[in-house]
Structures are given as structure tokens and as C-alpha cells.
Amino acid sequence: MNEPVEYPPFRLGKSRFDQSMFYGRLRHFLDVIDPRTLFVSESRLHDCIKLLDQFKNGTLPPGVTNVQLWDAQKVKQAIIHPDTGEKIPMPFRMSGFVPFGTPVVVGLLLPNQTLASTIFWQWLNQSHNACVNYCNRNATRPAPMSRFFQGYLGAVSSAVTIAVGLNILIKRAERFSPTTRLLVQRFIPFPAVASANVCNVMLMRHTELSEGISVLDDKGNVVGTSKLAARHALMETALTRVVLPMPILLLPPIVIAILEKLPLLQKHPRLVLPVHSMVCLSAFGAALPVAISLFPQNSQIHVSELEPEISAATECKILTYNKGL
């Protein structure tokens, strides 16, 4: 039986898409955030895990296809943490990030925010992000809870401080008309969230700067541990965390401002919130996989940019390191 071309021979623990190309990464992350995996039953999950175990042990029953194996791996990876083997709570799975995160985005972009509502939505957003980060963390090397708590407090503090500070400045700006002031206020969540994301990265992973991260040769062998590579990794991750919220928090205010001028919404103001929610959901669902696909998970660096002892330990000119999420 001929199988679909997009289903190559199954490789346990690997992506079925080429991660060196943007299109491959995009298709991979569309699989990762697929919300349909939220509705997988316990029996279906058990069958998927059993099938993958059979493949690993070389005891697959006859007739099992690559399509079945890839689908089974997709289901297991969406629900089960790869290091702990435990189920990830539904709201904190990557497949639940859009459906459970959209109400928070809607709240962040609501017009005429009070001081209390600004603080609440920024706190809720950073709390949701912190839970997602923790539940999908790399658990191969145990990290103290204090580090996650430190990153969480730093993210909440920076987000709330910047959002509240900008809101106060805009309300005091006498040159802005009420319409302009309302439009500008809708863009405040982006700098607050972006700065909080960077703060979270730096607080959570600052020990990498002193301890270094592993760099690998073209065969996947660890050449050594580099602090300079760690610096590059943190800078790339921080840039990624700034890019991620851009389309999600900058596009909807523009679209919503245009839609609110339509006669339909002016005549029926009750439709504003549902339309607002649909715009945020569409932007979140479309932009998230594109944003997280922009940069490959594994970055390359020339050996001359690393420590002398790293250069002396290998003949490779280009080494690879995992920049993290």
C-alpha cells in the first residue's frame, strides 16, 4: 500500500519535517500546536504509547504504517512530557496555548483599561506563560523551583511596571486627542509583554552565562562547554521572545480600530467584543506558528568565535548549540 509522500519512514523522537528550512519548521509547529490533540481520549493515548513502545522494542504487529506511527508520536508528544513521562495539564500544553491564551490576549487588548484591570491582565498573562514554560521545561537537568519563581516574579514585575507606567504617561499626554490616546493605549501590552519575556529569560537562564552550554560537532558529539555560546544562545532566545508577541499584540489593535469604524459595529456595539475576540483568535492562531518557526532550534557558530580550548578540541569549523525556547 502506497503511503502519502509527506509521511517519510518513521524515526522515533524526530520530526517528520526538515527543521533546517522555514517551511519544515512551520509544518512541525503546526503539528505541535494542533488543538485537536486536546480531545484525545485516554484509550487513544494508551494505544499510541503502546504502538511507539512496540516500535522501540522491535515488536510491531504486521500492517502498521508510517502514517500510524507518526500520528501516534504526535499524540504522545502533545500530551506526555518527554522527560518526566507525566501528563501535561491541558491548559499548559503547547496545543492548548492558543485556545487557552486567546482570552488573555483579548483582555490585554481591551480598550479603556483601569489601573486594576491592567495589573490583572498582565499578571494573568505572565502566570499563564510561566505555567506553560514550567510544564514544558527541559527536565533532564533538575532546576530549583526558586529559579522559576525568580523568573516569574521578574516577568510579572517588569510587565506590570511598564504597562502601568506607559498608561499613566499616555493619560497625561495633553497633545493626544481622545481617539489617538485610545489607539496608542492598545499598543501598550506589546512593550510590557516583550520586556517581561526578556526579563524572564535572563533571570531563568543566567547561570548558563557562568556555567556555559554544550557545543556539538557535525556528528552530534559534544566538543565542550562554552560560555560564549551561552551568550549567543541567550541573545537569540531574547530576540525570539521579543518577536513572538509582535504579530499577536500589534496586528489586532490595527484591525480592530478599522473594524470599529464600520457602520455595523457602530450601530450594534454589543458585537464589538465578539469581533474583538475573533480577531485576536485569528491573529494568535495564524501568527504563533509563523513566529516560532522563524529561528531554528539549533544554531550554528564558527569555532573562531568560541574559547581557545574549544578550537583546540576539534577540527570542525562550524559547531552547533541548542539555543532553547
Side-chain angles (χ1 to χ4, degrees):
M1 183 177 66
N2 293 327
E3 296 188 45
V5 177
E6 63 268 23
Y7 285 88
F10 180 71
R11 296 180 300 163
L12 187 65
K14 304 292 184 180
S15 174
R16 66 185 176 98
F17 304 109
D18 183 1
Q19 295 300 284
S20 65
M21 301 177 63
F22 169 76
Y23 183 60
R25 295 194 297 273
L26 177 62
R27 295 189 69 186
H28 169 75
F29 283 113
L30 284 172
D31 257 1
V32 171
I33 67 169
D34 187 349
R36 290 176 298 179
T37 59
L38 294 172
F39 305 101
V40 170
S41 65
E42 283 291 335
S43 60
R44 166 74 172 139
L45 174 61
H46 179 268
D47 290 342
C48 290
I49 294 174
K50 181 181 178 181
L51 192 63
L52 294 173
D53 287 340
Q54 289 174 331
F55 175 86
K56 184 178 180 180
N57 298 326
T59 57
L60 270 180
V64 175
T65 65
N66 287 312
V67 175
Q68 291 174 295
L69 289 168
W70 283 117
D71 286 347
Q73 179 162 272
K74 173 181 173 179
V75 169
K76 181 183 177 182
Q77 289 180 340
I79 300 172
I80 304 297
H81 192 287
D83 299 328
T84 65
E86 298 176 355
K87 288 183 66 175
I88 301 172
M90 190 180 292
F92 309 134
R93 297 174 192 169
M94 290 306 299
S95 55
F97 197 52
V98 171
F100 287 97
T102 296
V104 180
V105 174
V106 172
L108 285 169
L109 298 176
L110 287 174
N112 300 315
Q113 297 261 8
T114 64
L115 179 63
S117 65
T118 298
I119 293 173
F120 171 76
W121 288 113
Q122 289 292 344
W123 165 78
L124 186 60
N125 180 56
Q126 292 305 323
S127 297
H128 180 245
N129 288 343
C131 290
V132 170
N133 290 339
Y134 180 77
C135 290
N136 294 276
R137 70 195 185 283
N138 184 329
T140 55
R141 296 177 62 183
M145 278 297 296
S146 58
R147 185 182 301 176
F148 291 97
F149 192 63
Q150 185 183 41
Y152 170 66
L153 285 181
V156 171
S157 301
S158 57
V160 170
T161 301
I162 292 174
V164 171
L166 289 176
N167 265 316
I168 293 174
L169 287 175
I170 290 171
K171 288 179 180 179
R172 292 180 178 177
E174 298 178 356
R175 296 181 180 180
F176 290 160
S177 66
T179 304
T180 303
R181 186 179 289 112
L182 178 62
L183 180 61
V184 173
Q185 281 181 318
R186 281 178 163 164
F187 288 99
I188 287 177
F190 170 68
V193 170
S195 61
N197 289 348
V198 173
C199 181
N200 182 276
V201 170
M202 295 306 174
L203 288 172
M204 292 273 288
R205 297 177 55 184
H206 66 90
T207 54
E208 293 179 15
L209 294 175
S210 58
E211 298 176 1
I213 60 174
S214 297
V215 288
L216 297 80
D217 60 19
D218 53 2
K219 296 180 180 179
N221 300 316
V222 176
V223 175
T225 303
S226 172
K227 297 177 183 178
L228 294 175
R231 187 185 303 171
H232 280 269
L234 259 65
M235 289 177 62
E236 290 175 359
T237 304
L239 178 60
T240 302
R241 295 291 183 92
V242 171
V243 172
L244 284 180
M246 273 186 182
I248 300 167
L249 295 177
L250 293 183
L251 286 179
I254 297 173
V255 175
I256 292 166
I258 295 172
L259 293 178
E260 285 179 345
K261 295 179 181 179
L262 297 176
L264 177 65
L265 293 186
Q266 290 182 346
K267 290 181 180 179
H268 304 281
R270 291 183 179 180
L271 294 177
V272 171
L273 185 58
V275 170
H276 187 166
S277 302
M278 287 304 300
V279 169
C280 290
L281 177 61
S282 301
F284 201 175
L288 179 64
V290 173
I292 59 181
S293 302
L294 291 176
F295 305 102
Q297 184 67 32
N298 293 315
S299 296
Q300 294 184 328
I301 188 169
H302 197 278
V303 72
S304 62
E305 299 180 55
L306 302 175
E307 292 87 344
E309 59 268 25
I310 299 291
S311 304
T314 180
E315 295 181 357
C316 293
K317 299 299 181 182
I318 303 295
L319 298 179
T320 304
Y321 60 88
N322 189 306
K323 70 179 180 62
L325 295 175

